[in-house]
């Protein structure tokens, strides 16, 4: 339970650091922002996946107070401990690195959290490309396969 005792305190989260190879290389900030924007579009899907009660447990923790974001609003910022997603100041300075998703609850399933993040950043995007660019019996044309491969090996 992320907030086992009611009261005026922030509860406990399972902040999750996220990066890809492209995010950790020169120019990575562009990839970090692109990933965060994809996560913003799926905010409530993430909230539901980030605690075993579909967001009910986290609603007591993510109030917008005590260095937490509101469960109902997505936000991100540099060194902002009250945002849904925090970009460390050192990442802004360097221009590459990682970001921290501060929304998962302390009782989350880390595999479910990781799955939702990866699905949002990579899979949902590829499913949209594949569904609009299908050819032949495989259902995926060579250009889409190559783009997917290139994205994975970066």
């Amino acid at each position: 339970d992320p907030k086992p005792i009611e009261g005026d305190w922030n509860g406990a989260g399972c902040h999750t650091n996220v990066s890809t190879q492209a995010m950790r290389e020169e120019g990575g900030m562009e990839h970090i922002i692109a990933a965060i924007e994809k996560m913003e579009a799926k905010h409530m899907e993430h909230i539901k996946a980030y605690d075993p009660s579909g967001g009910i447990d986290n609603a007591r923790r993510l109030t917008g107070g005590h260095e937490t974001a509101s469960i109902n609003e997505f936000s991100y910022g540099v060194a902002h401990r009250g945002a849904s997603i925090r970009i460390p100041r050192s990442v802004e300075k360097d221009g590459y690195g990682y970001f921290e998703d501060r929304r998962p609850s302390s009782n989350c399933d880390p595999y479910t959290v990781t799955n939702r993040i990866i699905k949002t950043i990579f899979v949902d995007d590829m499913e949209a490309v594949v569904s609009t660019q299908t050819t032949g019996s495989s259902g995926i044309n060579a250009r889409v396969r190559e783009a997917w491969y290139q994205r994975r090996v970066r």
Side-chain angles (χ1 to χ4, degrees):
D1 187 346
K3 197 162 184 178
I5 301 169
E6 292 299 321
D8 193 23
W9 68 294
N10 59 353
C14 182
H15 302 171
T16 304
N17 293 340
V18 179
S19 73
T20 63
Q21 185 173 344
M23 291 177 194
R24 295 186 303 271
E25 294 175 344
E26 194 72 33
M29 186 62 84
E30 176 184 327
H31 299 279
I32 290 169
I33 298 301
I36 291 171
E37 288 173 351
K38 289 177 183 180
M39 293 175 75
E40 179 177 18
K42 303 274 184 169
H43 175 64
M44 289 314 292
E45 290 177 44
H46 283 256
I47 291 298
K48 290 177 184 171
Y50 284 2
D51 84 47
S53 301
I56 294 169
D57 292 343
N58 240 350
R60 292 181 287 119
R61 182 177 78 86
L62 297 177
T63 63
H66 305 288
E67 296 186 332
T68 67
S70 168
I71 196 167
N72 297 311
E73 297 176 19
F74 182 90
S75 60
Y76 71 94
V78 173
H80 189 334
R81 296 173 57 87
S84 306
I85 292 181
R86 181 181 73 87
I87 300 169
R89 191 171 309 282
S90 61
V91 172
E92 178 190 44
K93 178 179 172 273
D94 296 341
Y96 59 87
Y98 69 98
F99 63 88
E100 175 189 42
D101 191 343
R102 299 173 60 82
R103 299 171 296 171
S105 66
S106 60
N107 63 338
C108 71
D109 176 343
Y111 297 103
T112 301
V113 170
T114 303
N115 179 61
R116 183 65 257 177
I117 292 168
I118 296 302
K119 186 168 177 10
T120 296
I121 294 174
F122 297 111
V123 179
D124 288 350
D125 214 20
M126 287 311 300
E127 287 175 355
V129 170
V130 170
S131 70
T132 60
Q133 298 183 10
T134 57
T135 62
S137 61
S138 70
I140 303 175
N141 68 28
R143 190 175 63 178
V144 172
R145 257 195 313 275
E146 180 63 20
W148 175 243
Y149 175 77
Q150 291 300 322
R151 195 169 189 176
R152 292 181 67 209
V153 296
R154 276 191 183 161

